[in-house]
Amino acid sequence: MVFSSLAFLFFFLPSVLFFYYLVPQKHLAARNGVLLAFSLFFYFYGEPRLIVLLLLSILINYVFGLLMRSPHKKAWLVLCIVINVAMLGIYKYLNFFISTANSLFGAAIPLTNIVMPIGISFYTFQALSYVIDVYRRDAWPQKNPFSLALYVSMFPQLIAGPIVRYHDVDKQIAQREHKAAVFSEGIDRFIYGLSKKVLLSNVFAQIADGIFTLPADDLTCLLAWFGAAAYTLQIYYDFSGYSDMAIGLGKMFGFRFLENFNYPYISRSVTEFWRRWHMSLSTWFRDYVYIPLGGNRCSARRHIFNLLVVWGLTDFWHGANFTFLAWGLYFGVLLIIEKYALADLLNRLPRPLTHLYALFFIVIGWVLFRSDSLSYALSYLQVMFTPSLAVDPLILEYCMRFWPYLLCGVVLSAPLYQLISKKKIYTVLSYPLMAALFVLCVMSLLNNSYNPFIYFRF
């Protein structure tokens, strides 16, 4: 079940809200129980067989959380990390390693029938966050297993984030307020995110999928750039739209989740881009991997090593494919170059130039991310850098059909909505605006029910 589905909008969400608020405010534990039950059903609906793995992950990390107060807590932490990473590795990467070994060594090891659970990367990182926070004494061990289960499996952020750190919500699980004004903000944020997904990302997906499914030999330079730009818009509105919906749903239940995107396409460098894109993942790696390794308070050689380790883990987190490895290495090298060779230059150059510089390398990176194979990605990039002034008729067709969406996509990637929402007139217009957007989303979903989120793969 996805947020942008009629089943979720008209059956699941009204049901969970009805039963949640049917319980009086003073019985918060019972409300948590309702939210937990619906969250487990939400996951069971999409992964009926693999919900056992989610429950096992919760149980394992609950036990290890209690062990973080023992004299041997460091050994227990290491074992906990090994078990979590092993579970993630088996279900997400085992077949990749087998197929790679078969290709490299001519082996004939049969692939397994393992199916990757939806959202395993997200809930594994959240569970690890809990144990590490308790180990560091940033939070107390959770004695109530149902409270920990709610933290790990809460349906707004279970499948595709944002990755919520335990110390950010542990107090909210035990005590939080439910205000009508915050609930209203949650509805607005949810509809805004839904609109980004249904009205924009799904449209850009038609362009990107149409171009990226063509053989590289059939592409022209301009068409390849147009497809890469379309995917650049698609993935932003897809993932940031999901994050907006998750944050909005959290507010409906009294939770305040941290932001996950901060208009990344206005960045003036690749470094700034990664401070604005998928911030929950970036800060997770920063706090739990990069800083413990020494961060940037070390020699240049060690700092480069730390960056490469983080980016190696980042690309593996995203998926078992050489395209992700190339994508992670690409951005890791760019960050190192910016840090040690381009920092002063980028600070001196005019803002429009640095903005174009950042967008240029970001778009190239998304080609690696989107391509089904490394060979196709390299062929696609070769076409992008083979100069040709030929205007493919497909570009004209897409522009004629989708120019309003492309214009909105470009404009709204800047903080225009953020500025407008602070104006007094917005308080008057917000209700009819959100109602109109919701109706348009429903009409679009009635015409096309297939709209999976990109980050469900992770």
Side-chain angles (χ1 to χ4, degrees), residues 9-46:
L9 295 173
F10 292 104
F11 294 99
F12 182 86
L13 184 56
S15 298
V16 64
L17 287 173
F18 173 78
F19 286 104
Y20 182 85
Y21 281 100
L22 188 64
V23 178
Q25 164 69 35
K26 61 182 179 180
H27 299 300
L28 185 58
R31 283 188 170 182
N32 286 345
V34 171
L35 188 54
L36 173 60
F38 274 92
S39 295
L40 293 176
F41 174 79
F42 178 84
Y43 194 82
F44 177 83
Y45 184 88

Side-chain angles (χ1 to χ4, degrees), residues 83-103:
I83 291 175
N84 278 278
V85 171
M87 291 173 62
L88 183 61
I90 290 171
Y91 280 90
K92 193 167 184 176
Y93 306 108
L94 182 58
N95 281 332
F96 170 72
F97 290 136
I98 292 175
S99 61
T100 301
N102 288 341
S103 299

